[in-house]
Amino acid sequence: EAGVVQSPRYKIIEKKQPVAFWCNPISGHNTLYWYRQNLGQGPELLIRYENEEAVDDSQLPKDRFSAERLKGVDSTLKIQPAELGDSAVYLCASSLGETSIDTDTQYFGPGTRLTVL
Amino acid sequence: AQKVTQAQTEISVVEKEDVTLDCVYETRDTTYYLFWYKQPPSGELVFLIRRNSFDEQNEISGRYSWNFQKSTSSFNFTITASQVVDSAVYFCALSGRGSWGKLQFGAGTQVVVTP
């Protein structure tokens, strides 16, 4: 079974440029998460989707970050414009969903390492 | 508020030694789940184990074992007979009923296993 797929794996951009990350979750997983991991720290949740609905976006900096999951499958996270402090690894994860609470483990993709110059 | 503390920044061992990783958590939820993830140099977080707050039974799975003690809010993880492939950053994480779906991670512990 394929795991969580993310692209690109690496991205280098100049500050003020836009950037987008793509994620395809594990087949059948209804819940999708975007995390940001700064160097030397644990991941921090940015946004969580239940199917196509964003149910927790309290940590998403909405002035420059946006996300979508239009058909409830794959998702895109965008930053516009990027700032130096956005340099981090952006991780996507998926899980079956809250209806399977005892087995609702999050499985992570390889991440996209963003460098803003 | 939830908080996970991994006080050990880095642990270095020689192959075949045992490694124990400490994790202390804080939560007001009465129902919660604790996790350990491994992040090798490739960057992908790999799920290792999950425990719910009602089950303090400690178990062994292959070379992995864990010690969950609610009285001290600790969820320690041990790798027995370490191997070079165990070299990675290990994260302890918490998910509580009050904020279900949001994993609160610790800062991670770097494990270096040398031959």
Side-chain angles (χ1 to χ4, degrees), chain A residues 59-72:
Chain A
Q59 303 289 90
L60 190 72
K62 298 181 183 63
D63 56 337
R64 297 182 300 107
F65 286 66
S66 64
E68 60 182 17
R69 193 186 185 198
L70 294 176
K71 296 183 179 179

Side-chain angles (χ1 to χ4, degrees), chain A residues 9 33 35 37 40-43 45 48 91 98 101-102 104-106 108-110, chain B residues 33 35 37 39 42-45 47 50 91 97 100-103 105-108:
Chain A
R9 289 296 312 276
Y33 314 76
Y35 285 83
Q37 185 178 19
Q41 299 181 21
L45 181 69
R48 173 168 68 99
L91 293 161
E98 197 168 348
I101 216 163
D102 284 342
D104 200 32
T105 295
Q106 296 181 31
F108 286 78
Chain B
Y33 294 79
F35 303 79
Y37 282 86
Q39 189 173 43
S42 62
E44 183 172 342
L45 275 164
F47 165 71
R50 176 191 63 244
F91 289 96
R97 271 293 195 174
W100 182 248
K102 179 179 178 179
L103 279 174
F105 284 87

